[in-house]
Amino acid sequence: MKEDTKTKLTQNQQGSQEMCRTIEVVATVDHVDMSPPVMSPVVVSSNTGDDLNLIPPLNFAMVDNGIFRSGFPGSANFSFLQTLNLSSIIYLCPEPYPEANIEFLKSNGIRLFQFGIEGYKEPFVNIPEDTIREALKVVLDVRNHPVLIHCKRGKHRTGCLVGCLRKLQRWCLSSVFDEYQRFAAAKARVSDQREE
């Protein structure tokens, strides 16, 4: 199997702005299975030694089958993330992905979809609809599952994307807001909860 790495840039309809940055490990194989991935349980030995520490990232939770959410994963979380058998990660921040994380993705064959949404302190700044729409397309495409959605703390940007997914799943607004507030805690933003 031959491997190389390529970076794919996706532009919006006007072609002027980078909306999503994708990093993936490309492998040449004889047979390509196009069926959706099957979530198979991972067997973790009940080793009492310190060689296996499974630490989930901050604010980690399962959103739906094959969809997870969290804050920014660090190297302490890599062993835990390996148990999820991730195919993709959706990163919602504009800052470059750290080199250690990129190496982890490459060594595990995980694609990175980066949607650079600014994190504002100002509570009345809108998250761009076209960016959320593009991120939702990645979430809904089962070929990307299992997928982890994250921003810095797994609160506002991640909460907005998950909230939009919940609307597509026909959740009532009060349930969408309740879930958002559970992860955002005291910092829930009114502008993030507006129905568009």
Side-chain angles (χ1 to χ4, degrees), residues 77-136:
N77 310 123
F78 291 168
S79 292
F80 175 82
L81 294 180
Q82 284 178 315
T83 68
L84 302 177
N85 293 321
L86 294 174
S87 291
S88 308
I89 287 182
I90 298 174
Y91 173 49
L92 299 174
C93 301
E95 295 82 17
Y97 219 52
E99 193 59 38
N101 290 55
I102 288 177
E103 287 305 315
F104 171 76
L105 298 183
K106 287 178 183 176
S107 66
N108 289 279
I110 301 170
R111 288 180 302 256
L112 174 69
F113 296 92
Q114 182 173 1
F115 296 91
I117 300 171
E118 292 290 337
Y120 295 100
K121 300 284 185 216
E122 170 62 41
F124 299 107
V125 176
N126 291 325
I127 289 184
E129 284 182 39
D130 56 341
T131 305
I132 286 290
R133 201 173 291 116
E134 290 302 312
L136 268 174

Side-chain angles (χ1 to χ4, degrees), residues 6-190:
K6 70 178 180 179
T7 301
K8 187 179 4 173
L9 299 179
T10 306
Q11 296 182 340
N12 66 10
Q13 285 117 355
Q14 292 81 26
S16 63
Q17 172 182 338
E18 181 184 325
M19 187 178 305
C20 175
R21 180 172 172 250
T22 305
I23 297 175
E24 61 184 307
V25 175
V26 180
T28 308
V29 294
D30 295 332
H31 171 6
V32 177
D33 182 6
M34 296 303 288
S35 60
V38 176
M39 291 291 294
S40 58
V42 175
V43 178
V44 179
S45 66
S46 58
N47 189 347
T48 57
D50 288 337
D51 55 36
L52 186 61
N53 289 324
L54 299 179
I55 304 167
L58 176 72
N59 265 338
F60 177 82
M62 183 177 201
V63 175
D64 206 339
N65 288 330
I67 305 172
F68 304 93
R69 66 178 290 164
S70 76
F72 201 98
S75 57
N77 310 123
F78 291 168
S79 292
F80 175 82
L81 294 180
Q82 284 178 315
T83 68
L84 302 177
N85 293 321
L86 294 174
S87 291
S88 308
I89 287 182
I90 298 174
Y91 173 49
L92 299 174
C93 301
E95 295 82 17
Y97 219 52
E99 193 59 38
N101 290 55
I102 288 177
E103 287 305 315
F104 171 76
L105 298 183
K106 287 178 183 176
S107 66
N108 289 279
I110 301 170
R111 288 180 302 256
L112 174 69
F113 296 92
Q114 182 173 1
F115 296 91
I117 300 171
E118 292 290 337
Y120 295 100
K121 300 284 185 216
E122 170 62 41
F124 299 107
V125 176
N126 291 325
I127 289 184
E129 284 182 39
D130 56 341
T131 305
I132 286 290
R133 201 173 291 116
E134 290 302 312
L136 268 174
K137 287 179 187 176
V138 175
V139 172
L140 294 171
D141 187 342
V142 295
R143 294 173 297 183
N144 297 321
H145 292 184
V147 62
L148 173 68
I149 305 164
H150 80 83
C151 53
K152 284 208 192 300
R153 292 188 174 81
K155 293 181 177 185
H156 306 297
R157 289 169 275 201
T158 299
C160 287
L161 181 56
V162 170
C164 291
L165 173 65
R166 298 306 194 197
K167 283 294 289 174
L168 291 176
Q169 293 174 326
R170 299 190 177 274
W171 278 33
C172 68
L173 277 178
S174 62
S175 294
V176 172
F177 293 157
D178 285 346
E179 181 181 47
Y180 174 86
Q181 289 177 331
R182 257 195 325 274
F183 287 93
K187 291 186 71 178
R189 296 179 181 148
V190 174

